[in-house]
């Protein structure tokens, strides 16, 4: 693996970043590094469209990860 990559597999870092933005988020990961799915549940998603929910999560991650490494991550959000 490329050591220069921040690595979307750094689950604890991803969770930390999301929690800074969405304090009550429940994060869980499904699958492996090549096909990783992040499931985020939060009350912050109530009343938001699915696209808005995804934007909320992805925008917080964008500051840390290149968009290139984010495309490997599939996302599922649920109002908590």
């Amino acid at each position: 693996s490329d050591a220069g990559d921040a690595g979307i597999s750094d689950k604890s870092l991803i969770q930390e970043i999301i929690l800074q933005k969405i304090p009550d988020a429940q994060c869980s990961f499904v699958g492996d590094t090549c096909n990783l799915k992040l499931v985020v549940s939060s009350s912050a998603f109530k009343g938001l469209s699915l696209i808005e929910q995804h934007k909320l999560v992805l925008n917080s991650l964008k500051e840390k990860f290149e968009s290139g490494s984010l495309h490997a991550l599939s996302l599922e959000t649920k109002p908590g």
Side-chain angles (χ1 to χ4, degrees):
S1 70
D2 184 1
D5 187 354
I8 207 69
S9 59
D10 194 345
K11 297 174 186 178
S12 56
L13 180 63
I14 292 172
Q15 200 161 334
E16 207 175 286
I17 294 167
I18 292 172
L19 286 170
Q20 284 172 6
K21 206 77 149 192
I22 312 168
D24 75 333
Q26 300 287 316
C27 303
S28 57
F29 293 90
V30 185
D32 56 35
T33 311
C34 302
N35 192 7
L36 191 64
K37 181 178 180 181
L38 168 61
V39 183
V40 184
S41 165
S42 167
S43 62
F45 298 146
K46 285 193 177 122
L48 296 181
S49 73
L50 201 55
I51 291 170
E52 288 171 324
Q53 294 174 30
H54 284 208
K55 269 191 187 155
L56 191 62
V57 174
L58 291 173
N59 286 344
S60 61
L61 292 174
K62 251 186 218 159
E63 295 156 20
K64 196 75 189 167
F65 295 98
E66 294 301 311
S67 54
S69 57
L70 278 178
H71 78 261
L73 183 71
S74 65
L75 180 62
E76 185 180 315
T77 52
K78 303 173 182 172

